[in-house]
Amino acid sequence: MLRFMFVGDSMTIGSAGERTWRYRMWQHLRETLGDGGFAVVGPRSTLYDQAAGAPLSHDYADADPDFPRHHLAGWGEGWLHMAPRVADALTRDPADVLLVSLGLIDLGFYTNAEQTAANVRAFVAGARSANPEIRLVLLPVIPNIRAASDAPFAAEVARFNELLAKTVADLDTGGSPILLASPPPSYDIGTDTYDGTHPNASGERKLAGAFAVAMAQAWGIGAPDTRARELTQPIG
């Protein structure tokens, strides 16, 4: 049984009344691996409650009662925050595969591209200290609405994504492989988000699809690749 842990920021934890891309990924894994073929683990389980300003909600929209809500994601948290936490999280809840979507909040508020890339390396080291055979799938930062009007920020996002690709190439090993997922080619912040940053239903599917395609192509997890790509298509 493969154990997956979702790691991310506000796009991954989601807020009250959402399904989240975690839910879409769980559906895909259940359809392709079967209920007994995987587990979802993590030290947290809530959604962010925007009214309370804290991760207190359990109000997942129309979620299957079997959906495992476990994760390591936080509203306003990035590589900077998760790097010192991942080892403890994996010690508490052992996992085989980390699906990671981080970086936008780092670049927006905390660190520049180079500093953020250094925190990626610290995160990987922390994860491997808890599980030397951990597998990781990392999603590049998808530019949001701020990048459309803030050229320096857009350049910082592009620079970080270049450094992330180099970091993956440097740190990838046979014993602990790292994949760099490709951003969904049809992802559009105008139609796949509800505010220019956070995914709506179609965005959730496409983010899940990015991870599904990467794992299907490289590791044969959730194969065939054509099944994984179904998630990346616009909802018709």
Side-chain angles (χ1 to χ4, degrees):
M1 175 184 289
L2 283 173
R3 298 162 297 180
F4 294 86
M5 185 182 292
F6 302 108
V7 184
D9 52 26
S10 57
M11 295 173 67
T12 299
I13 186 176
S15 58
E18 298 177 14
R19 286 190 176 90
T20 76
W21 71 262
R22 298 181 281 112
Y23 182 74
R24 313 292 181 169
M25 190 68 202
W26 168 72
Q27 288 182 310
H28 172 73
L29 293 172
R30 187 171 63 167
E31 291 171 359
T32 55
L33 299 180
D35 287 327
F38 74 102
V40 174
V41 301
R44 304 175 182 176
S45 62
T46 57
L47 294 157
Y48 188 75
D49 186 326
Q50 298 202 40
L56 302 174
S57 177
H58 295 274
D59 184 21
Y60 285 82
D62 302 324
D64 188 307
D66 294 330
F67 171 48
R69 290 151 171 78
H70 313 296
H71 62 78
L72 177 61
W75 199 276
E77 297 184 53
W79 290 107
L80 173 68
H81 308 84
M82 295 304 181
R85 293 178 181 157
V86 66
D88 286 345
L90 286 170
T91 300
R92 178 186 183 276
D93 297 292
D96 304 295
V97 182
L98 300 181
L99 305 181
V100 187
S101 175
L102 288 169
L104 186 65
I105 197 75
D106 298 88
L107 300 171
F109 296 95
Y110 304 117
T111 52
N112 62 26
E114 285 73 17
Q115 292 166 332
T116 305
N119 286 328
V120 176
R121 292 176 180 270
F123 178 95
V124 173
R128 286 174 171 168
S129 72
N131 178 0
E133 298 179 347
I134 193 73
R135 300 185 188 191
L136 303 96
V137 187
L138 312 183
L139 184 68
V141 172
I142 297 174
N144 67 346
I145 192 170
R146 176 179 169 184
S149 59
D150 185 337
F153 177 67
E156 203 69 16
V157 170
R159 173 61 178 158
F160 170 72
N161 283 340
E162 292 174 357
L163 293 173
L164 183 64
K166 182 179 186 303
T167 299
V168 169
D170 289 346
L171 299 183
D172 180 38
T173 69
S176 174
I178 307 178
L179 298 179
L180 184 64
S182 297
S186 64
Y187 200 89
D188 185 323
I189 62 171
T191 57
D192 293 318
T193 76
Y194 61 80
D195 61 359
T197 297
H198 300 96
N200 57 22
S202 64
E204 291 170 359
R205 285 175 51 87
K206 291 178 183 180
L207 292 179
F211 289 100
V213 168
M215 290 192 295
Q217 290 180 339
W219 299 334
I221 295 176
D225 177 45
T226 52
R227 184 67 172 273
R229 286 186 181 278
E230 291 175 4
L231 276 172
T232 68
Q233 302 307 309
I235 297 176

